[in-house]
Structures are given as structure tokens and as C-alpha cells.
Amino acid sequence: MADDRRWMYDGFDKTGGKAHSAEWRKKTQAFIDHAFAGKTHYLDQVRCPCNEHNNGKFVTKEELTKDLVNYGFMPGYETWSFHGEKETRVETEVEADDDSAGVDRMDEMLEALQPEFGLNSEDPPPKEVEEFFKLLQASEEPLHEHIKVSLLAFVTRLLAIKSKYFFSNKCFNDLVQLIGDILLQPHKLPNDMYQCKRLTKALGMGYKKIYMCPDGCMLFCDDHVDEKKCLHCGKGRYVKVINEDGDQVTTAVAQKPLRSFPMAPRFKRLFLSTETCEPMRWPKEGVRNNLGFMGHPADSDAWKALDEFDPEFAKDARNIRFDLATDGFTPFKAKKDSFRKDTVCYEEPPKRLSAQEILDQLARLKLNEEKTAYEGFGKEHNWTHISGIWDLPYAEALKLPHNIDVMHQERNVAESIISTCMDFSDKTKDNVKARKDLAKICNWPTLVLTASGARVGGPVQFRWMFHIERVLKYLRAMVGNKARVEGCIAEAFILKEISYFTSVSFAEEYNVNAPTMRYNVDEEPSASDLPIFQSTGASASASSPYYFKSGKRVSAYLYMHANMKEMDPYFEEFQRQNWTSKKQPTSKQLDKMR
């Protein structure tokens, strides 16, 4: 390799006159194109291998060109290890040692993080940078002198296992102690969960605790960080208790903490890995194979409206859009009593409002004399608070300010249809009351089906609640202490973030978050030759026994036989012997005859 790269140094003009050889200029330009075409760049920057920066600074393409022309390549950089090439000796070691087939790439993860911590700055490093240097040391320090796994790789893999299987902190501490007892001294294994979290603190995945009013009226931050009472309702910030003398005293414990997870660093991390960077930039740079078909939210009218509202924002592929999802929220004016059993709602459906119409409605709201609610509440509107979202500069450009979840509608309708068709007595909708309601409130000629929702919001799979419901399920499973629900979820969520972020750098066989097959590939052979029994069903949730009564059992058998191709000759013979008319029987006549 060194013979092939002599041009890097032989063709460079060391006199400072920049009279570099034609070969040097041509191949240096090829190197620059290679560096930015590969997968080693952080956003739009790569390491600068010039003789001044020695791969210690991230620069743009223009800056890299200027530095190489001025300073030349750093000595001994014939193998471009920081620009997509691997050291030959490393490859030889991996091939020679079967035990090291799965190699962690923790060093690549930490290299990508360096620009975020400003490691190229000449100023004294702040505390978070010092913590990051400790993390760098842990990535290079082996857990034990006879073990190749680094301390950081071991700790992050162990935290990933804890995050996936939700075992308690005490269980984690006992497991760490057991491993420590097995390892020979001296080893670098942390003693408990606390020390493991301290080690990974430098990854910058944490939350900020902000105290708030018990009723959620205000946050005690910024100019109000020293306030002791809520400026709106007057309730105290801190918990009050009765001391031993029977007097009420105020403690230093806040009544209601809010845990804020900064979004900007989390969005940055999505661009640190090539596995997540490409999908993040796809709406702007991706190739659409099926033009004319809607396959991504970027194809929707709502997305395009934001592009037109702010063209400069739309130009940069790194600028992202995100939605807020919530469960249990009803944006309709109708009261909850309207959806109770034996209640019929005759109100018209809510009018579809644009973002501007909602802003105009909010502008007309006025507080009553008591300053406790807005005038007309419960009659003209149902606004209790004005969300800060409507203060955003692009609020007026939102064509889809809120989206009603398709999943719940789909599930309710499908369940009603199946229950009615299968005649489940406790869930069927075909009853006397339903038919009376149908006659009163159903007006068939005015029903209109429209695809406007899909055209405005884009493909439904990107805006329904299926994946949100799964996340909520995982969040509920994170609660180990019922008295500290929010704290449990916050701490467990931090571990989940660390697990997913670091697992990108794990070897595939060590990655507990790697995708697995959802269904078994090797299916057991069927006990019957009939095609109807060849496909084995799988339960989507917990099963419960259901016992057929004699009438339903017969109906089930008839339904099964009627849908088996093997039964067609018998049905045809039955029809020939029992149908006397010359005309072919209709489906309804056949069902009645059978």
C-alpha cells in the first residue's frame, strides 16, 4: 500500500510555493471525492488528514481542499483508516482468530460524537468534555488484561440486556457482583448500576428536571426559578408535612417534577450512524421508484405546504419534521356521555377547521372575571388552555393540525363487523336497539367516502397509533415502583436510548436489539392433507378458551365445509338431486336449501 501512495509526499511542493505535481493534484482530488462519497462523514464533514490537523479536526469539503494544498498530507497516512479503509494488520488478526469474528465498533461511535463536544476547541475543556475523555479511555481500556472486550463495550452491552428484559436494579447489581467474583483480579468491572451509569453519562443522554405547579399551571424555571408558589393558582411548590411537634413545615422536596428530555442532541444522534442517517435524509434525497404513488409523508399536501411556507428550511435535507402523539385525547366538542351505552348522539360531526381558523378562534378567547376559565366554556367552545404550539411561527401553515387515529376506528369497526357476522352474543351490533338507531340517525344518501385525509396527511401507516401503542406498552412495563411512575419511566427510557444508540456499534451476534424473526421459520408438519389445515395460525395476544354450544358448533362445521374445495363435488351432487327448477339457483336459494 505504501508504494501505491508515494505520490502523497513525493508530488507535494515542500517549499511553500504550491507547485504541486499534476499527479498529486489529480489523486488528491480523487481522495477528497472518496472521503465525502463514503460512509465516514459526520453530517457534511470529515477528518482532516493534513500535516497541520493530523485527523484531529472535522472540516468541510472546501476546507479539506484548502488545508491539503497548504499543508500536505500528515506523515505515515498511506492507509486511509479514518476515511473508509481498514488497517491490514487488523484484518489479519480477525482472520487468524475465530474468537474475534464479532468486532465491536465503539471507537467509530465515539469518533462521530467528538464534533458535538467541540474537542477541537482551544479553550479549556468543560466538564462534559472531561467526562467524554473518560469515556474514550474506557473504550480503549480492556475489562481484564486477558480479555479483548473493552470496559465500555461490556457495560453498554450489559445495560442493553437490562433495558430489554426489564430486570430490577438489585438484580443488575447482583449480576455485576457475580461476574466480578468470576473474573480474576485485577479487573475494571464497575461495582454496581450507579457506576455503570456514571461511565455512560458522557454520551449526553440524560434529562433535565424542572419543577412545576401541582396543577400544571406554570414551570418554576427561567425568571421564575426561585418562586415558592404558583403565580396563577397560589399553590405551594414544595411538599408540606407535620413534624414531631405537630407543626406544619415546608420541606425542600418539590410536589411535582417535570423531566425534560432535550430534543436537539437526540436528533443529532440520528445522523451519527449511517443506518439512521440515510432514512433521515431520504425525504429530500431519496429516489422514488413509483412516481405518481404516495409512499411517504413527504408526498402529502401537508408536507408540501410547509415546504412552500419556508423554502429555505426545505432546502436542507437535515431539517426534519416530527409529530406529537397522545393517547386518550378527544378533540371533539361532544361530551363523553354521548358515547355511553344506551345513549344516542344526534349532534352533527365537528366542522373541519384549518390552522388559521383555529388561530382565529383562540384569538377571540377571553378569561372570565374570576380568571379561572374562558368565557363561553362548555357552550361555545371547550378550550381550557391555549397550547404553546399555536405560538410557533409555522402554525398557520399546518394543513393537518391534528390527526384522528385510524387504528382505533379500524379496530372498532372491524370488531363490530366480525362480531355481528359471527353472531357473538355479547358483542354483536345486530339487535333491536341498533336497528332503531339506524332508522333514526342513518341517512344513506348523504354518506360520502373521501380520500382527502390520505391526500393531506400521507400514507396512513405513518400516522396511526399501532407503533405508539407498542411504545406505551413498553413504558408501562418499565414501572417498577408504583409510587414513582414518572421517575421509573424516565430512568428506564434513558437506558433504552443508550442501548439503541450503542447497539449500532455492536457486532451483530452481540446485539440484543438486532431484529429477529417474528414467526417460527420451521413449522411443524400438518396433521391433515386438506389445504384448509395447511396454514398454522398464530395468536396475536393472550388466548382464552371458548366453548361452542351445539348450534354454533354445527354452524362452524357447515362454514368450514362450505369453504373446502374438496366438498364441491358433494355439493354439486346434492344440488342436482334436490333442485328441480330448470333455472340455476341463486346463492341465497342454495344457502336456504342446504
Side-chain angles (χ1 to χ4, degrees):
M1 182 64 71
D3 294 336
D4 298 336
R5 300 281 167 81
R6 287 179 180 174
W7 60 266
M8 296 172 60
Y9 309 102
D10 294 344
F12 181 76
D13 182 9
K14 299 180 177 61
T15 63
K18 301 181 183 178
H20 313 310
S21 68
E23 181 187 19
W24 187 92
R25 292 179 178 275
K26 179 180 179 181
K27 293 188 176 180
T28 298
Q29 184 61 49
F31 163 78
I32 295 172
D33 295 338
H34 162 79
F36 280 88
K39 299 181 179 180
T40 59
H41 57 84
Y42 167 77
L43 298 185
D44 290 327
Q45 297 179 333
V46 299
R47 288 180 177 274
C48 181
C50 73
N51 200 22
E52 177 73 14
H53 299 128
N54 298 297
N55 279 324
K57 181 181 179 181
F58 283 82
V59 295
T60 63
K61 191 171 185 178
E62 292 75 12
E63 292 171 337
L64 177 60
T65 303
K66 183 179 179 181
D67 289 345
L68 290 177
V69 170
N70 291 334
Y71 307 113
F73 286 93
M74 61 183 285
Y77 195 56
E78 290 86 355
T79 301
W80 301 337
S81 55
F82 286 98
H83 300 86
E85 291 185 352
K86 294 185 179 294
E87 296 282 356
T88 305
R89 57 179 180 84
V90 174
E91 295 175 356
T92 303
E93 290 176 2
V94 173
E95 292 175 1
D97 190 353
D98 293 338
D99 295 335
S100 60
V103 178
D104 291 331
R105 307 187 309 276
M106 305 302 291
D107 55 339
E108 296 180 10
M109 177 193 72
L110 296 177
E111 286 171 14
L113 278 175
Q114 288 189 20
E116 184 175 337
F117 288 91
L119 298 185
N120 301 314
S121 174
E122 298 179 357
D123 299 329
K127 184 178 179 180
E128 59 267 20
V129 175
E130 293 180 359
E131 293 289 339
F132 186 75
F133 277 122
K134 294 179 182 178
L135 198 65
L136 288 174
Q137 182 181 0
S139 69
E140 300 173 354
E141 189 175 19
L143 184 64
H144 191 276
E145 60 181 355
H146 299 299
I147 298 177
K148 295 182 179 180
V149 178
S150 69
L151 173 59
L152 179 62
F154 177 82
V155 169
T156 51
R157 281 168 57 185
L158 195 59
L159 290 175
I161 295 173
K162 179 190 185 306
S163 175
K164 181 174 182 178
Y165 297 106
F166 301 115
F167 51 81
S168 65
N169 289 354
K170 188 177 185 307
C171 178
F172 183 90
N173 293 339
D174 292 342
L175 181 60
V176 170
Q177 183 178 357
L178 174 61
I179 298 174
D181 293 340
I182 297 173
L183 290 175
L184 296 176
Q185 294 290 346
H187 60 74
K188 305 294 183 181
L189 183 67
N191 295 328
D192 52 23
M193 177 71 181
Y194 175 76
Q195 292 187 8
C196 290
K197 291 176 65 176
R198 283 291 303 271
L199 180 66
T200 59
K201 182 180 179 181
L203 289 174
M205 295 183 181
Y207 59 81
K208 182 181 179 182
K209 189 177 290 187
I210 303 174
Y211 300 110
M212 60 187 300
C213 167
D215 291 342
C217 302
M218 65 171 289
L219 299 176
F220 296 104
C221 63
D222 298 333
D223 296 337
H224 307 296
V225 67
D226 296 324
E227 297 288 345
K228 301 296 187 293
K229 294 182 179 181
C230 176
L231 301 180
H232 298 278
C233 66
K235 290 189 177 181
R237 172 177 178 176
Y238 298 104
V239 175
K240 295 182 178 180
V241 297
I242 306 298
N243 62 11
E244 297 177 353
D245 300 329
D247 299 327
Q248 188 180 66
V249 295
T250 302
T251 66
V253 179
Q255 293 200 54
K256 194 170 185 179
L258 179 145
R259 294 165 178 85
S260 172
F261 291 75
M263 300 178 67
R266 286 167 168 82
F267 289 148
K268 289 181 181 179
R269 280 167 177 73
L270 294 175
F271 291 92
L272 292 181
S273 168
T274 55
E275 296 182 14
T276 53
C277 180
E278 184 177 352
M280 292 295 295
R281 302 173 69 106
W282 190 91
K284 183 69 176 178
E285 302 174 345
V287 178
R288 288 160 173 79
N289 297 322
N290 297 318
L291 298 177
F293 289 87
M294 185 174 291
H296 189 275
D299 304 326
S300 66
D301 292 348
W303 189 293
K304 295 174 183 178
L306 282 176
D307 287 347
E308 295 175 0
F309 177 78
D310 192 345
E312 290 299 320
F313 180 88
K315 284 182 180 179
D316 196 332
R318 295 171 297 178
N319 288 334
I320 63 176
R321 303 116 191 272
F322 64 94
D323 297 327
L324 298 178
T326 182
D327 195 15
F329 174 71
T330 305
F332 296 110
K333 180 181 177 181
K335 298 180 180 180
K336 61 182 180 180
D337 293 343
S338 300
F339 302 97
R340 289 181 177 176
K341 188 177 180 180
D342 300 330
T343 302
V344 179
C345 178
Y346 295 101
E347 294 184 14
E348 292 293 326
K351 179 185 175 182
R352 178 180 172 182
L353 301 178
S354 65
Q356 186 59 51
E357 289 174 324
I358 295 176
L359 289 171
D360 294 340
Q361 191 179 98
L362 294 176
R364 294 192 296 268
L365 295 179
K366 294 182 180 180
L367 287 171
N368 57 19
E369 295 180 357
E370 295 80 12
K371 306 296 182 182
T372 57
Y374 292 109
E375 294 180 358
F377 174 75
K379 297 180 180 179
E380 302 174 5
H381 63 84
N382 279 340
W383 291 102
T384 58
H385 297 77
I386 298 179
S387 172
I389 294 177
W390 297 107
D391 294 332
L392 296 173
Y394 54 82
E396 62 185 52
L398 297 176
K399 296 196 78 172
L400 191 67
H402 60 265
N403 178 72
I404 307 304
D405 175 40
V406 177
M407 185 201 76
H408 289 89
Q409 300 179 54
E410 182 183 68
R411 185 256 185 190
N412 294 338
V413 172
E415 182 182 30
S416 300
I417 293 175
I418 293 174
S419 300
T420 302
C421 293
M422 300 300 291
D423 194 24
F424 294 154
S425 58
D426 55 336
K427 294 184 178 181
T428 180
K429 303 301 179 183
D430 188 11
N431 51 50
V432 175
K433 291 182 179 179
R435 296 198 177 200
K436 288 183 178 180
D437 291 341
L438 193 67
K440 290 181 179 180
I441 65 176
C442 185
N443 187 2
W444 288 103
T446 62
L447 289 179
V448 178
L449 297 177
T450 176
S452 61
R455 187 172 61 250
V456 173
V460 68
Q461 67 267 28
F462 295 101
R463 51 191 176 90
W464 60 19
M465 285 289 291
F466 281 110
H467 57 287
I468 302 299
E469 292 281 0
R470 295 189 187 102
V471 172
L472 294 177
K473 175 185 176 182
Y474 294 141
L475 292 179
R476 287 192 291 268
M478 293 176 179
V479 179
N481 184 352
K482 302 297 183 183
R484 298 289 186 268
V485 174
E486 296 90 345
C488 288
I489 293 177
E491 292 296 330
F493 188 79
I494 292 296
L495 286 185
K496 182 69 71 176
E497 280 194 312
I498 294 175
S499 168
Y500 280 123
F501 178 65
T502 57
S503 64
V504 177
S505 302
F506 293 157
E508 185 174 355
E509 58 266 36
Y510 301 146
N511 186 1
V512 297
N513 293 314
T516 56
M517 293 294 295
R518 186 173 181 181
Y519 304 107
N520 295 329
V521 177
D522 298 329
E523 297 183 356
E524 297 182 359
S526 176
S528 173
D529 295 334
L530 297 175
I532 196 173
F533 295 115
Q534 294 304 309
S535 299
T536 305
S539 176
S541 59
S543 60
S544 59
Y546 183 83
Y547 299 98
F548 282 104
K549 296 180 181 179
S550 58
K552 289 189 175 181
R553 183 182 292 108
V554 172
S555 299
Y557 283 141
L558 289 175
Y559 180 83
M560 179 182 67
H561 291 150
N563 288 274
M564 292 173 57
K565 292 184 178 180
E566 291 80 2
M567 295 297 296
D568 289 347
Y570 299 96
F571 281 117
E572 292 173 1
E573 180 64 21
F574 176 82
Q575 175 184 336
R576 187 183 64 80
Q577 294 183 10
N578 293 274
W579 183 254
T580 57
S581 176
K582 294 182 180 180
K583 295 182 179 181
Q584 289 294 325
T586 63
S587 299
K588 185 178 294 186
Q589 290 172 332
L590 282 175
D591 291 339
K592 184 177 180 180
M593 183 175 59
R594 292 171 183 174

